[in-house]
Amino acid sequence: MKAFVAGATGETGRRIVQELIARNIPVRALVRDIEKARGILSPEAELVVGDVLQPESLAAALGDSTVLLVATGAKPSFDPTGPYKVDFEGTKNLVDAAKTKGIEHFVLVSSLCISQLFHPLNLFWLILLWKKQAEEYIQKSGITYTIVRPGGLKNEDNSDPIVMQSADTLFEGSIPRQKVAQVAIEALFEADARNKIVEIVAKPEASSKTFGELFANVA
């Protein structure tokens, strides 16, 4: 297995890279700025320059990767096209590149409440709408996928057990980014994670389950 991570220098992406390296899985990290990335990512990650909005840069960047994890996301800005470009077009370009390259498993970190048009997050240039469009593109693409929809993201890790449910059943809650990274990577190893959308939060009162049990419980 060789993992390709898009959005590698973001808060969730860097934790995905860290987790992969901790498991001795070789990583190619897609970055736009090598110098900035060197200051953020482990020296064990292979850095490749490319941009999800430049599809011609992606085939070469993917190289000999066998699985692809996407943790990209538009940053709040005054550009109304940001979420459309990054969350939809960028993901679409990655799906197309993954198909061409014969990628075995495509994992997307998306968001909770994606189907709620009137959610406050859509005030940020319809970000959930474009994430939803990207999810649908992945589902129709024919590639093996897992879509992970986390609740509110926290930078600090905690010991709260993960709660995992099927699409459009969890509407509140938060989860540490470290746990999101773990779920994204476990999806590569669990047969029950294939071609599923999973929604995740962490709750102190939840009972602890293995990743196998968590994925198996989602329809």
Side-chain angles (χ1 to χ4, degrees), residues 33-210:
D33 180 337
I34 286 265
E35 287 312 309
K36 179 190 163 196
R38 281 205 183 107
I40 293 171
L41 300 173
S42 159
E44 291 171 64
E46 185 187 343
L47 306 182
V48 287
V49 176
D51 189 326
V52 295
L53 298 178
Q54 293 169 345
E56 64 285 354
S57 73
L58 296 176
L62 272 165
D64 57 350
S65 307
T66 60
V67 296
L68 200 162
L69 300 101
V70 183
T72 51
K75 291 192 166 54
S77 73
F78 292 110
D79 176 7
T81 66
Y84 164 74
K85 287 193 294 205
V86 176
D87 292 280
F88 176 62
E89 280 293 327
T91 305
K92 183 171 170 287
N93 292 339
L94 286 164
V95 171
D96 294 344
K99 278 187 80 167
T100 306
K101 281 284 190 177
I103 287 288
E104 292 162 22
H105 200 141
F106 189 105
V107 178
L108 174 73
V109 177
S110 184
S111 175
L112 220 59
C113 300
I114 209 157
S115 304
Q116 296 182 309
L117 185 59
F118 297 105
H119 193 278
L121 276 175
N122 270 330
L123 295 173
F124 167 38
W125 313 127
L126 298 174
I127 188 161
L128 294 181
L129 176 88
W130 291 119
K131 282 182 185 289
K132 181 89 166 95
Q133 297 288 320
E135 285 190 7
E136 287 172 4
Y137 191 80
I138 293 167
Q139 288 177 290
K140 289 174 188 157
S141 69
I143 57 178
T144 299
Y145 68 87
T146 306
I147 293 167
V148 179
R149 295 179 177 174
L153 296 166
K154 289 180 166 176
N155 285 341
E156 287 301 309
D157 201 5
N158 61 36
S159 58
D160 297 351
I162 295 169
V163 174
M164 185 183 287
Q165 291 181 201
S166 50
D168 307 323
T169 62
L170 272 174
F171 300 102
E172 57 183 18
S174 62
I175 187 164
R177 292 177 191 270
Q178 201 72 40
K179 286 184 168 50
V180 177
Q182 287 164 356
V183 169
I185 293 161
E186 287 293 342
L188 301 170
F189 296 95
E190 297 290 344
D192 283 322
R194 290 169 182 268
N195 302 323
K196 279 184 181 176
I197 294 176
V198 299
E199 298 193 331
I200 53 170
V201 293
K203 292 183 177 173
E205 72 277 11
S207 57
S208 203
K209 294 191 174 95
T210 66

